[in-house]
Amino acid sequence: MDFTIPHLCCVLISLIAGVAHGLEITSQGPTSIEKASSESVKLDCQFSLAPVDSGPLDIEWSLLASDNQKEDKVVILYSGDRAYEDYYPAVKGRAHFNSPDPKNGDASINLTGLKSSDTGTYQCKVKKAPGIRSRKMLLTVMVRPSKPRCSTEGPTQEGKDVVLRCTSSEGTKPLQYTWEKTSDSKILPASAVLDPVGGTMNVRNASISSSGTYRCTAKNHVGMEECILQLGITPPPNTAGIIAGAIIAVLLALIIIAIVLFCCCRARHRKKYEKEISYEIREDVPPPKSRVSTARSFTSVGSQRSSLGSMSPSNLHEYALKPQYDKIPSVEEYERPPSHTPLPPPVASKIAGRNLSRMGGIPVMIPAQNKDGSIV
């Protein structure tokens, strides 16, 4: 075989490059991975060695800083035939080498219990003198959407605009919201306007046919959740009936208040009247007489009774019609002879005993008489 000088030069350069680059990263998987929180992920980093790579093997996984002014964080390390898995406190207990002996060509690691803070660019660097190779992978840890909350805004009346809102409090953006009707014809109202980013559906000029069951679904690349909403469109209220009912209620309230006030006034007036009557009764009761006056009254009454036996019927009639004790005689009556003293009117004899006692008179008993005028 003939070898020209240029051909020999190319072969020599290839041999030198092969010696210089004996270590190679052989992984061909994706360099960007999306995972949901709480899941696990394998960051692949396979490598091969050449006979010229005779130095010690070092494997280093680091989380590259997003800001150039910050330092990279070493996550896990293999050096001197020993693995250092708890090197980075943020992933302590969650980062492990995939192979129990990484020097066999598998520098891959597994991350468990992923968190949103694990998102970042990870670099696998393999060193074995004289070769050095590295591979970068972007890991995005996404949070599943939380169960959304379905609600309505605005009056749910016929002819009004009703807004159906769906909101998920947690979840890695971007979130997509979709609405669908699950009852009746399963067709959204013709006047519905959807907002897949904001999660709203505006039903303009809602009708009775818009009533039904609706389902909202919130989803991203790693999960989805949904909620159910029951929408009921009611006819517009009877305004005239409401006004009439309010007027009737006010009138009834006023009538009840008037009745209560009337009863209170009447009860107060009755109580005041009873109190005045009790005062008048107390004033009419004569004061109690002393024992001496009482004895004298009994003596006078006895003498009067004894004198009745010797009186004639004419004298009895004249005695019964004596003037009242509480009446003070005038001067003319006092000086007038007894024969000319006018007799009291016959009406005086009809005064009741109770009134006579109240006026100061003494009631007497007129004995019965025979036809000849003698006392029985």
Side-chain angles (χ1 to χ4, degrees):
M1 180 178 291
D2 297 331
F3 292 97
T4 61
I5 294 176
H7 182 72
L8 291 175
C9 292
C10 291
V11 172
L12 181 61
I13 293 172
S14 298
L15 290 174
I16 295 173
V19 172
H21 301 284
L23 176 64
E24 293 292 340
I25 301 294
T26 60
S27 295
Q28 301 296 326
T31 58
S32 179
I33 301 175
E34 291 181 350
K35 286 290 183 178
S37 59
S38 73
E39 291 185 349
S40 299
V41 65
K42 178 184 177 181
L43 301 180
D44 190 48
C45 184
Q46 305 288 335
F47 66 93
S48 63
L49 299 173
V52 294
D53 298 322
S54 57
L57 177 64
D58 291 333
I59 301 173
E60 179 184 285
W61 278 92
S62 58
L63 178 60
L64 302 182
S66 57
D67 188 353
N68 294 330
Q69 296 180 356
K70 296 182 180 180
E71 296 182 357
D72 300 337
K73 305 293 183 181
V74 177
V75 176
I76 193 170
L77 185 66
Y78 181 87
S79 179
D81 295 336
R82 181 181 176 184
Y84 299 89
E85 296 183 344
D86 296 336
Y87 201 84
Y88 183 42
V91 295
K92 184 178 181 180
R94 298 190 294 118
H96 309 280
F97 279 104
N98 185 60
S99 174
D101 192 3
K103 66 182 179 180
N104 293 330
D106 186 8
S108 304
I109 62 172
N110 295 319
L111 289 177
T112 61
L114 292 176
K115 301 177 181 179
S116 58
S117 58
D118 296 335
T119 299
T121 301
Y122 291 81
Q123 177 178 263
C124 171
K125 183 183 291 187
V126 181
K127 302 177 184 179
K128 190 171 179 64
I132 299 176
R133 288 290 182 269
S134 63
R135 184 173 190 255
K136 296 180 181 180
M137 299 183 66
L138 175 62
L139 173 64
T140 303
V141 180
M142 305 183 69
V143 179
R144 295 176 180 270
S146 60
K147 187 175 182 62
R149 179 178 177 270
C150 291
S151 60
T152 59
E153 295 180 359
T156 56
Q157 298 176 3
E158 187 177 8
K160 301 291 185 178
D161 293 346
V162 183
V163 178
L164 279 63
R165 185 173 295 279
C166 178
T167 305
S168 184
S169 59
E170 297 180 359
T172 303
K173 302 294 192 298
L175 291 176
Q176 294 290 325
Y177 296 93
T178 57
W179 282 94
E180 58 181 329
K181 191 175 184 182
T182 60
S183 62
D184 301 333
S185 61
K186 297 184 179 181
I187 299 176
L188 294 177
S191 61
V193 179
L194 300 176
D195 182 4
V197 178
T200 60
M201 181 175 69
N202 188 1
V203 182
R204 298 177 179 175
N205 194 18
S207 60
I208 300 297
S209 61
S210 302
S211 301
T213 304
Y214 292 83
R215 178 171 58 200
C216 172
T217 303
K219 62 181 179 180
N220 57 10
H221 295 294
V222 293
M224 58 188 301
E225 288 290 343
E226 61 184 27
C227 62
I228 303 297
L229 175 66
Q230 188 69 34
L231 177 63
I233 303 298
T234 59
N238 186 2
T239 307
I242 294 175
I243 295 175
I247 293 175
I248 293 174
V250 171
L251 292 177
L252 289 176
L254 292 177
I255 291 173
I256 292 173
I257 293 173
I259 292 174
V260 171
L261 293 176
F262 175 76
C263 294
C264 292
C265 294
R266 187 173 181 181
R268 183 180 297 177
H269 181 72
R270 181 180 297 176
K271 187 175 182 181
K272 182 178 180 182
Y273 178 76
E274 291 177 354
K275 187 180 293 185
E276 292 178 354
I277 292 298
S278 62
Y279 287 161
E280 292 180 0
I281 293 174
R282 291 179 183 178
E283 291 177 358
D284 292 341
V285 175
K289 298 181 179 181
S290 61
R291 295 182 178 180
V292 177
S293 61
T294 305
R296 290 179 179 176
S297 62
F298 280 120
T299 305
S300 61
V301 170
S303 61
Q304 289 176 2
R305 288 183 178 178
S306 61
S307 62
L308 287 175
S310 60
M311 287 183 180
S312 63
S314 60
N315 293 335
L316 289 175
H317 178 73
E318 194 173 304
Y319 179 81
L321 299 177
K322 285 184 178 181
Q324 299 177 2
Y325 287 2
D326 58 348
K327 182 179 180 182
I328 301 174
S330 61
V331 178
E332 296 178 358
E333 293 178 350
Y334 184 80
E335 295 178 353
R336 186 183 302 168
S339 59
H340 297 287
T341 303
L343 296 175
V347 182
S349 60
K350 298 181 180 181
I351 300 176
R354 182 179 176 181
N355 295 333
L356 187 61
S357 300
R358 187 177 298 178
M359 295 170 62
I362 300 175
V364 296
M365 296 180 61
I366 301 175
Q369 301 177 4
N370 291 331
K371 292 181 179 181
D372 55 357
S374 61
I375 299 174
V376 179

